[in-house]
Amino acid sequence: MEETTATTLEKIQDAAMEEFLDKGFLGASLRQIVKNAGVTTGAFYGYFSSKEALFASIVEPHAKALMGRFMEAQTSFAELPEEQQPEHMGIESSDCVHWMVDYICQHRQAVKLLLCRAEGTGYEQFIHNMVEVEVESTLRYMEVLRHLGRDVPELSRSLCHIIASGMFSGLFEIVVHDMPREQAQRDVEQFRQFYTGGWLKLMGG
């Protein structure tokens, strides 16, 4: 019985993955998913309460993993003594970015659903939420530099938001274009160096 249950669940999620990738959440047909999975509508509702619940069952583990690792890097940096933060600037983010690239390459389809096909779900603000966290962290770090006596110019929240949005959009190009892992790691590392250099220049480094 357990094997049959697992098989049915996998069939539904596999069919959903294909339909969501092809048409996005809003365009996806629950009727088509059920048909392609070879199950009845009644069987579907034995597992999921709605199309959104089905979408969430696929992307939620990956949303938690990516946001969790991102927040871990932010917290790790913020908890450093202020005087140590400048020398660590970029180290935690580099480790986090390389981890993300590996993770994305291991879970390409599900992450693509999360980042590119989630309009109409509770996940459509996922990248925006990351950007907001990055902006807050940046503003805090600039205050740390001022406490340390650095001459840091005033940067508006809107500018920080633009820069962070560009950074995440660039990072997630590896998802949009299905980059091979080695190319993704190489491009993203150079991309990260570019952004780090830009921030250092803006912050008087």
Side-chain angles (χ1 to χ4, degrees), residues 84-156:
Q84 292 182 21
Q85 289 188 22
E87 65 190 71
H88 280 262
M89 199 272 196
I91 296 174
E92 280 76 11
S93 64
S94 176
D95 291 343
C96 179
V97 165
H98 284 295
W99 181 91
M100 282 188 169
V101 172
D102 276 337
Y103 188 91
I104 288 167
C105 290
Q106 291 169 23
H107 307 280
R108 289 180 185 275
Q109 291 187 317
V111 175
K112 181 173 277 192
L113 287 190
L114 172 65
L115 302 180
C116 307
R117 301 288 191 269
E119 184 181 359
T121 76
Y123 298 93
E124 65 179 314
Q125 296 296 314
F126 183 80
I127 296 176
H128 174 77
N129 292 340
M130 278 192 160
V131 168
E132 286 300 306
V133 171
E134 184 70 19
V135 169
E136 291 297 331
S137 297
T138 299
L139 294 172
R140 281 197 303 271
Y141 180 57
M142 288 192 291
E143 285 304 311
V144 167
L145 292 178
R146 293 186 184 108
H147 290 162
L148 294 173
R150 302 286 183 91
D151 184 18
V152 179
E154 290 293 332
L155 302 180
S156 67

Side-chain angles (χ1 to χ4, degrees), residues 129-203:
N129 292 340
M130 278 192 160
V131 168
E132 286 300 306
V133 171
E134 184 70 19
V135 169
E136 291 297 331
S137 297
T138 299
L139 294 172
R140 281 197 303 271
Y141 180 57
M142 288 192 291
E143 285 304 311
V144 167
L145 292 178
R146 293 186 184 108
H147 290 162
L148 294 173
R150 302 286 183 91
D151 184 18
V152 179
E154 290 293 332
L155 302 180
S156 67
R157 173 180 287 272
S158 60
L159 174 61
C160 293
H161 191 278
I162 289 169
I163 294 171
S165 293
M167 182 183 71
F168 282 107
S169 294
L171 171 61
F172 293 134
E173 281 288 291
I174 65 177
V175 179
V176 175
H177 297 294
D178 297 315
M179 284 187 190
R181 181 183 175 281
E182 288 186 9
Q183 178 188 346
Q185 286 284 16
R186 181 176 63 252
D187 288 357
V188 167
E189 174 56 23
Q190 292 176 326
F191 173 77
R192 191 195 65 78
Q193 290 175 6
F194 171 83
Y195 262 88
T196 299
W199 274 122
L200 287 172
K201 177 69 174 178
L202 283 175
M203 293 181 181

